[in-house]
Amino acid sequence: LPGNLLMRQSLLRTPLLLEAEDLSRILVVRAFDHDDPLRDVLVNAIQVINSESQKKIELQVVDVATRDEFIGAFNNFAGRLAIFDGHGRHARTDPQGTIQIGSIRVNPFELYGQIHIPPILFLSACETHTLEGIESSVASGFLMMGARSVLGTIVPIDGLKAAILIARFIFRFTDFVPYLKTMISWSQVVSGMLRMSYVTDVLRAMEKQFPLDEDAYKRIHTAANIAINEFRPGWFEQVLTSVSEATSTPEMHVRESWLRTCYFTDTLHYVHLGQPEHLFVVPGAASRSM
């Protein structure tokens, strides 16, 4: 983060405790045109996950096409987590990052003092925190306006893959968080999901290079998920070792292939910003009853 924003985030050290119920109400602010092929992708992916989950979420979807509608969508929401679903852009020649709302492009900081941002925000949009423009990025604007955890993007993202990632986060909130038996930081919740998503990216790429069948894929991924959720070190080293064993390929060749072809996957297009280490998820009623 730039210096002034880093100082602001460092000084705001008040802990925020979250229960599973706080993650069961989610706002999606959708800013696509009606004929945009990406308009329904994210919401449909979330609804599929929600229909299959034991714990359901209350999903509020608000379509916005004007500045006032965008402000109203956030100000009328009292929950803890929101998702912006739309188009973003921050080219090297642009003085600031923007998101598309109807016919206009807006940097969120322009709305300072007019809009209430929940503490957790996911940005399902391109280039919301590029490496060249972090001081004036979309993510920085939301952090300046009060968000405490922002999932941003450093490069353009694939719409379908972005929807799948967000849907997997929803699954984590419904089928993992309610059964926590100990308090964990929000950074662990998010990093755990990103790690599991990264394993998916790498294994799917490995399938195209080595004789890795679906049974082996599921076995390796399940073991990796367990290791990640138990916060074990060396979880990714074990993935490479398991691929080597399952395909009878020297581990050195597997590692070289990973570095050469699938090191920087779609999951690494995302960056987690703010002060998530000061947000904590605490055990809820589901875990206490077990």
Side-chain angles (χ1 to χ4, degrees), residues 163-290:
I164 292 173
L165 176 62
I166 297 298
R168 290 182 69 177
F169 267 109
I170 303 303
F171 181 73
R172 190 161 176 79
F173 301 156
T174 58
D175 285 46
F176 171 71
V177 169
Y179 300 101
L180 288 173
K181 296 183 179 180
T182 185
M183 181 173 69
I184 67 172
S185 70
W186 181 248
S187 58
Q188 290 176 311
V189 174
V190 174
S191 63
M193 184 67 258
L194 292 176
R195 289 172 179 176
M196 289 189 286
S197 178
Y198 186 70
V199 172
T200 300
D201 292 346
V202 170
L203 289 181
R204 288 305 183 193
M206 292 290 184
E207 283 182 323
K208 301 175 182 178
Q209 304 170 56
F210 304 106
L212 185 68
D213 60 37
E214 191 65 19
D215 287 341
Y217 168 90
K218 291 178 180 178
R219 183 176 66 255
I220 296 170
H221 209 321
T222 299
N225 288 352
I226 293 172
I228 290 167
N229 286 324
E230 292 182 350
F231 310 113
R232 296 184 210 158
W235 56 271
F236 188 70
E237 294 297 321
Q238 185 56 49
V239 169
L240 298 181
T241 299
S242 296
V243 171
S244 170
E245 294 172 350
T247 61
S248 300
T249 304
E251 187 170 342
M252 180 181 66
H253 293 172
V254 174
R255 181 178 298 277
E256 289 175 350
S257 177
W258 162 60
L259 292 172
R260 186 179 66 256
T261 66
C262 55
Y263 176 84
F264 189 69
T265 72
D266 287 271
T267 301
L268 293 189
H269 295 178
Y270 292 84
V271 59
H272 192 197
L273 307 164
Q275 46 174 323
E277 68 277 7
H278 297 150
L279 279 64
F280 299 92
V281 181
V282 298
S287 63
R288 289 195 294 267
S289 64
M290 295 179 66

Side-chain angles (χ1 to χ4, degrees), residues 37-48:
L38 294 176
R39 182 176 185 273
D40 298 317
V41 174
L42 174 62
V43 172
N44 287 345
I46 294 175
Q47 289 174 339
V48 169

